[in-house]
Amino acid sequence: MVSAVGMTAALGGCGLTGDSDTTTLKLVAADYGDSRANGSQTYWNELAKAYESQHPDTHVEVSVYSWNDVDRKVREMVDAGDPPDMAQIGAYSDYAAKGLLYRADDLLSIPVQADFVSQLAAAGQVRGVQYGMPFAASTRVLFYNKALFAKAGATPPKTWDELASAARALKSEGVKYPYALPLGPEEAQAETMQWMLSGGGGYTDTVGTYSVDSPQNVDTFTWLKDDLVGPGLTGPVAPGKLNRADAFAAFTHGDVGMLNGHPSLMKAASAKGVKYGMVPTPGIDGESKNTLGVSDWMTAFKKNGHQDQIGDFLDFVYSDDNVLDFSREYDLLPVTTSASETMSSAAEDKALKPFLDELLLSELYPVGDASWASVSADVKKRIGQTVVSGGSPKAVLTEIQSSAVRADSGS
């Protein structure tokens, strides 16, 4: 997801109002904007104002943080014994495993809960119970710069070998980042899984056990190290130091030939006049059979009570109009079936249809595992080391696997 400079702001004051019968709901949310003008604080300001106008006995106080900070901020609040009523963040299962969260069916009306896209609702479950409520979704495709490709005489790749060939042609024409490989800490877990899937692997095996150091994953990162990074086809910044936001910014400035991207990159590139194309993720011997699906999560903590008020507010948040407004503002995929059907047939949403079509076939992170937050953090920290000169992809992946097993066992 696109994240801008973190903003911490409250809506309409803070704490309780003068009326002792007024309930204050505190929400911490992530920022999806790419500038202050379209930051998520504006979205929540308007949403909270609209809700409060209909519910004068409830005050909604929202703090918005960048994606670099929001998960850490919520964890600090929880560790201090002062969690927010709601948190819209990247993971939920570790909090659910500790019994800190309301179940979705304790909060939402039946029609609202039933309207979630089934795949996303299932990903929000821990041991068959939904605690994570999907809030925003996206899939990934390969973006390429049409002008740079034309100049280099390259064609959009369908295989890894074709991707490397195109990258070599782009490099020969002086393109700064023939293929941008963001394995930096901002969102390395996404680029990592995209490549794992394209190589026939993934974070887990078919029964859900961590398999980070599987032969398929070792082969994938060995290929990246030897065939892309080693020959200098990934640009001047080491992949482990390159963040997703910086890679996207470089693409919008015409400095990137190819990179994996999600829907919001379309608007950012168009705004800068970049002519781009999109194709499915290349795989070893053809288009990747699997693509990455990502969902961010709304959670509700039990500590402060407010069950009824939280549920009523979230029913409002997940109304069709509000889901559509958010999805269209930030070029993201809606998490409800009804909104998805609307966008699939609406002319104004035509550009998003390839991503919508992929969502039902995508694979999501193992977010239902309480250990995922820890594993994801470890991937962000270590994965860039797999492709450094003289390094061993197998050794690094084995280290991550060992940490994942320990986290999964609770030790």
Side-chain angles (χ1 to χ4, degrees):
M1 305 303 173
V2 174
S3 55
V5 176
M7 292 176 286
T8 308
L11 303 177
C14 59
L16 294 176
T17 65
D19 186 347
S20 61
D21 293 328
T22 297
T23 299
T24 295
L25 298 179
K26 294 185 178 181
L27 166 64
V28 172
D31 193 0
Y32 292 85
D34 55 11
S35 68
R36 184 172 293 274
N38 77 335
S40 293
Q41 191 72 58
T42 300
Y43 171 82
W44 287 110
N45 280 349
E46 295 175 352
L47 196 68
K49 183 178 180 180
Y51 181 78
E52 291 171 353
S53 70
Q54 301 173 26
H55 302 81
D57 57 346
T58 302
H59 172 63
V60 184
E61 179 183 300
V62 185
S63 298
V64 172
Y65 298 91
S66 78
W67 273 108
N68 289 333
D69 301 321
V70 66
D71 289 286
R72 172 185 56 81
K73 197 70 178 180
V74 171
R75 187 167 301 281
E76 290 173 352
M77 296 171 72
V78 172
D79 289 346
D82 186 27
D85 295 287
M86 295 163 285
Q88 186 266 300
I89 48 180
Y92 67 87
S93 55
D94 50 340
Y95 297 129
K98 295 174 183 177
L100 302 179
L101 301 180
Y102 284 116
R103 298 163 52 122
D105 56 12
D106 286 337
L107 298 169
L108 302 175
S109 65
I110 292 174
V112 169
Q113 188 177 6
D115 197 30
F116 286 132
V117 173
S118 59
Q119 189 170 2
L120 301 179
Q125 296 178 358
V126 174
R127 293 183 294 277
V129 177
Q130 185 179 359
Y131 295 93
M133 293 162 278
F135 184 75
S138 69
T139 53
R140 300 293 196 272
V141 299
L142 184 76
F143 282 72
Y144 65 95
N145 183 308
K146 287 185 174 181
L148 296 180
F149 263 63
K151 184 179 180 182
T155 56
K158 294 183 178 180
T159 68
W160 287 359
D161 286 345
E162 290 175 2
L163 187 149
S165 177
R168 289 192 294 270
L170 290 161
K171 183 182 180 183
S172 69
E173 291 294 331
V175 175
K176 189 173 182 180
Y177 294 89
Y179 177 85
L181 182 65
L183 296 178
E186 181 194 355
E187 203 191 34
Q189 81 282 4
E191 185 76 10
T192 296
M193 185 167 173
Q194 187 82 343
W195 277 100
M196 285 179 169
L197 291 173
S198 71
Y203 284 118
T204 60
D205 59 23
T206 55
V207 295
T209 302
Y210 283 110
S211 57
V212 179
D213 61 348
S214 69
Q216 296 93 331
N217 292 341
V218 172
D219 288 347
T220 294
F221 280 89
T222 299
W223 185 87
L224 283 172
K225 174 178 176 289
D226 294 343
D227 289 65
L228 277 191
V229 180
L233 302 178
T234 55
V237 180
K241 302 291 187 181
L242 181 64
N243 280 326
R244 182 276 321 272
D246 295 330
F248 278 20
F251 186 81
T252 66
H253 286 98
D255 293 331
V256 174
M258 302 172 278
L259 82 171
N260 287 324
H262 54 60
S264 64
L265 183 56
M266 295 187 298
K267 181 185 290 184
S270 296
K272 295 289 187 177
V274 174
K275 303 297 184 183
Y276 62 87
M278 301 183 296
V279 294
T281 304
I284 297 176
D285 52 10
E287 294 177 359
S288 178
K289 296 178 176 62
N290 298 297
T291 189
L292 171 65
V294 177
S295 179
D296 301 322
W297 304 97
M298 180 68 75
T299 60
F301 289 88
K302 296 190 290 187
K303 177 71 180 292
N304 301 322
H306 303 160
Q307 177 179 340
D308 292 342
Q309 294 91 339
I310 292 171
D312 192 69
F313 176 66
L314 291 179
D315 275 355
F316 177 77
V317 168
Y318 284 108
S319 67
D320 265 7
D321 286 346
N322 289 329
V323 171
L324 287 168
D325 285 348
F326 178 84
S327 301
R328 286 166 171 162
E329 175 66 28
Y330 298 109
D331 285 325
L332 294 167
L333 305 183
V335 297
T336 62
T337 301
S338 55
S340 295
E341 291 172 349
T342 298
M343 291 186 76
S344 292
S345 58
E348 66 181 292
D349 302 311
K350 182 180 179 181
L352 283 172
K353 195 168 189 312
F355 298 94
L356 283 165
D357 291 342
E358 285 194 343
L359 183 59
L360 293 178
L361 303 174
S362 65
E363 290 194 27
L364 280 75
Y365 304 130
V367 289
D369 293 333
S371 56
W372 170 242
S374 173
V375 174
S376 177
D378 200 36
V379 169
K380 292 179 180 182
K381 179 181 177 181
R382 298 175 188 258
I383 199 65
Q385 299 169 19
T386 59
V387 295
V388 298
S389 176
S392 168
K394 180 175 176 59
V396 176
L397 292 172
T398 298
E399 290 175 0
I400 297 173
Q401 171 70 13
S402 298
S403 296
V405 171
R406 288 194 299 273
D408 202 38
S409 65
S411 60

